[in-house]
Amino acid sequence: QVQLVESGGGLVQPGGSLRLSCAASGSIDSIGKMGWYRQTPGKERELVAQITSDGTTGYADSMKGRFTISRDNAKNTVYLQMNSLKPEDTAVYYCYFKVKVISRWLWTDYWGQGTQVTVSQ
């Protein structure tokens, strides 16, 4: 009932920037926490950044000062601005929304399809 579509990944040189976008559509009653995770082969999916319904943000230590999460409530969209990218930032990035669907009781996590970010010369 809810679909998340993300975009903005690609190949960038060290020190460069990218902006990821993730838009939700469907039978959305309410959106709670939104965020970005990343994953590489053999590693657990790790939190990159999150933003609550009241706009409070949080970041993993390695991203502080380089990444910025924001949201556009009117568009049901979350963004991740990534600056000063490093090779170790290379990963598949996934967005997620905690959503209450119309006519349902439960809050449910929804995930984007993932977008590849590669930081390399």
Side-chain angles (χ1 to χ4, degrees), residues 32-86:
K33 184 166 60 178
M34 307 161 69
W36 292 91
Y37 282 69
R38 69 186 185 186
Q39 188 169 26
T40 57
K43 296 177 63 178
E44 296 286 335
R45 187 172 297 186
E46 65 176 344
L47 176 68
V48 174
Q50 64 181 22
I51 184 167
T52 66
S53 59
D54 67 358
T56 301
T57 60
Y59 302 90
D61 287 342
S62 63
M63 293 82 175
K64 290 180 180 178
R66 300 190 299 122
F67 291 8
T68 303
I69 188 170
S70 61
R71 63 190 291 169
D72 186 333
N73 291 335
K75 298 180 179 179
N76 290 335
T77 300
V78 64
Y79 305 94
L80 184 68
Q81 178 67 47
M82 304 186 292
N83 299 323
S84 301
L85 284 163
K86 306 173 182 179

Side-chain angles (χ1 to χ4, degrees), residues 3-121:
Q3 182 74 37
L4 273 57
V5 178
E6 57 183 288
S7 61
L11 175 65
V12 64
Q13 293 183 333
S17 298
L18 287 172
R19 189 169 86 148
L20 307 183
S21 300
C22 181
S25 61
S27 302
I28 299 171
D29 180 88
S30 301
I31 297 177
K33 184 166 60 178
M34 307 161 69
W36 292 91
Y37 282 69
R38 69 186 185 186
Q39 188 169 26
T40 57
K43 296 177 63 178
E44 296 286 335
R45 187 172 297 186
E46 65 176 344
L47 176 68
V48 174
Q50 64 181 22
I51 184 167
T52 66
S53 59
D54 67 358
T56 301
T57 60
Y59 302 90
D61 287 342
S62 63
M63 293 82 175
K64 290 180 180 178
R66 300 190 299 122
F67 291 8
T68 303
I69 188 170
S70 61
R71 63 190 291 169
D72 186 333
N73 291 335
K75 298 180 179 179
N76 290 335
T77 300
V78 64
Y79 305 94
L80 184 68
Q81 178 67 47
M82 304 186 292
N83 299 323
S84 301
L85 284 163
K86 306 173 182 179
E88 52 263 43
D89 295 319
T90 296
V92 177
Y93 285 72
Y94 299 88
C95 62
Y96 85 93
F97 287 26
K98 189 176 292 292
V99 175
K100 185 178 182 296
V101 178
I102 293 174
S103 300
R104 294 185 62 187
W105 289 94
L106 300 178
W107 287 86
T108 304
D109 287 345
Y110 288 88
W111 295 88
Q113 80 278 8
T115 185
Q116 177 70 47
V117 172
T118 302
V119 185
S120 179
Q121 298 287 358

